[in-house]
Amino acid sequence: MANTQSVPQSGSFGDDIVQRYGADIDAQEYEAFGHDRVRDLLERHAAVGRVRKQGSAVVSVEPHEKGTVVYLVADDMSFIVDSVTNCVLDFSNKIGFVFHPTYMAHRSVEDGSLVDVRKVPLSESTPATESTAALPALGMLAAPEGARAVIESWTAVLITEELDADQRAELQQAVESVLADVRSAVEDWEPMRVQARRLAERLEQEIPSVSERDRREAAAFLRWMDDDSFTFLGYRYYALEQENGSEVLRGDVDSALGLMRRTDACVTSAER
């Protein structure tokens, strides 16, 4: 049997964990909002994310005394905060605060239940809001027997207006869809870069139908993109085909990466 214990329902977080929760909020705004209210948000957040299976995300949109709160707990990934905030803005422009700490969570291997929450052990020279890639040593993530350690993003967006039940359900579905897109883009980041390099190599070879100048210019552009100058979100190979007397681009679903994993819009007109 796993040697783990669940985090207590309330009053379980030390001031350091609570302060980290609100570390990205302006000090005066934090004080006006209130330390106890921040603690209440954190404890509700922990309840929302009490069980999270590996590789999944937990989202809940709930009423709050100040309006509405979008809670999410997910693996720490690039783009989460901006993507979720922009998604919320599609529903309401009345955003009060965005809490977005990262925590080191210990979760039961058996069912994903939360065992412990700790501050991420970043190096002293790294701001708390920086990427968790700055971890000084993976050994510091060691979890107790029967648990696994994972760096998690705990994001809470406070909307200063009340959304009704239907609006909350629609917003929750939208956030879940955005998080799925974020995971696709992050997981396929390196494979997309590999495709860019492969295309550049092909363009640097002789292609009878394309001038050398155009080939070299396109290859240089692809290499510039790969040199951390571009955010790759999706890739799919398209074949130029004739259909009913017109040229069409037919997407190869099996080649799709990132956001292009979606199978919709795989055929489009190639007419200019």
Side-chain angles (χ1 to χ4, degrees):
M1 180 177 293
N3 182 24
T4 59
Q5 297 178 342
S6 297
V7 173
Q9 290 289 331
S10 63
S12 59
F13 299 108
D15 283 344
D16 60 332
I17 299 297
V18 180
Q19 289 168 359
R20 178 64 196 94
Y21 192 79
D24 301 306
I25 306 300
D26 177 81
Q28 291 184 340
E29 292 180 334
Y30 183 100
E31 184 176 353
F33 190 75
H35 184 76
D36 289 341
R37 189 176 281 121
V38 172
R39 179 183 290 278
D40 290 342
L41 271 180
L42 171 58
E43 291 182 351
R44 178 57 199 156
H45 209 150
V48 167
R50 190 159 300 279
V51 177
R52 186 181 77 87
K53 294 185 178 180
Q54 189 169 5
S56 68
V58 180
V59 180
S60 183
V61 182
E62 304 179 357
H64 185 267
E65 62 175 302
K66 293 287 188 178
T68 307
V69 179
V70 180
Y71 297 99
L72 74 91
V73 179
D75 292 325
D76 184 38
M77 296 179 288
S78 302
F79 316 128
I80 281 186
V81 177
D82 288 344
S83 298
V84 171
T85 302
N86 288 333
C87 178
V88 172
L89 285 171
D90 288 338
F91 287 79
S92 173
N93 61 1
K94 297 180 179 179
I95 293 180
F97 298 103
V98 179
F99 300 86
H100 53 94
T102 52
Y103 288 120
M104 180 177 70
H106 291 168
R107 291 189 176 274
S108 166
V109 173
E110 184 177 357
D111 62 5
S113 60
L114 192 61
V115 177
D116 192 13
V117 177
R118 302 181 182 183
K119 292 175 64 176
V120 175
L122 297 174
S123 62
E124 293 182 0
S125 60
T126 305
T129 54
E130 288 292 325
S131 167
T132 52
L135 285 171
L138 292 177
M140 299 181 72
L141 299 179
E145 181 183 354
R148 60 183 174 84
V150 59
I151 303 299
E152 296 184 337
S153 174
W154 290 33
T155 302
V157 182
L158 174 61
I159 306 169
T160 57
E161 69 172 319
E162 296 182 8
L163 302 184
D164 61 33
D166 289 340
Q167 290 172 317
R168 295 197 302 270
E170 185 179 357
L171 176 53
Q172 178 169 326
Q173 185 176 18
V175 171
E176 289 170 344
S177 178
V178 164
L179 288 173
D181 284 346
V182 169
R183 180 172 292 278
S184 295
V186 170
E187 288 179 346
D188 288 347
W189 174 265
E190 187 55 33
M192 286 187 281
R193 295 183 65 187
V194 169
Q195 286 295 342
R197 291 193 289 269
R198 287 177 177 172
L199 287 171
E201 290 171 359
R202 289 182 60 187
L203 286 166
E204 288 167 345
Q205 299 171 5
E206 184 174 354
I207 303 176
S209 59
V210 183
S211 70
E212 181 178 357
R213 176 181 177 181
D214 288 345
R215 287 190 291 104
R216 291 190 178 279
E217 185 175 296
F221 178 64
L222 287 168
R223 294 198 182 280
W224 173 83
M225 293 169 64
D226 180 50
D227 189 26
D228 293 329
S229 302
F230 185 80
T231 300
F232 291 90
L233 296 178
Y235 165 88
R236 181 189 287 149
Y237 175 80
Y238 281 84
L240 181 63
E241 300 178 353
Q242 291 286 334
E243 186 175 284
N244 299 324
S246 300
E247 290 185 332
V248 298
L249 292 170
R250 187 175 304 278
D252 178 4
V253 176
D254 292 336
S255 71
L257 296 171
L259 304 190
M260 301 298 283
R261 290 183 191 178
R262 300 170 178 169
T263 58
D264 57 337
C266 284
V267 179
T268 185
S269 172
E271 295 183 358
R272 297 179 181 179

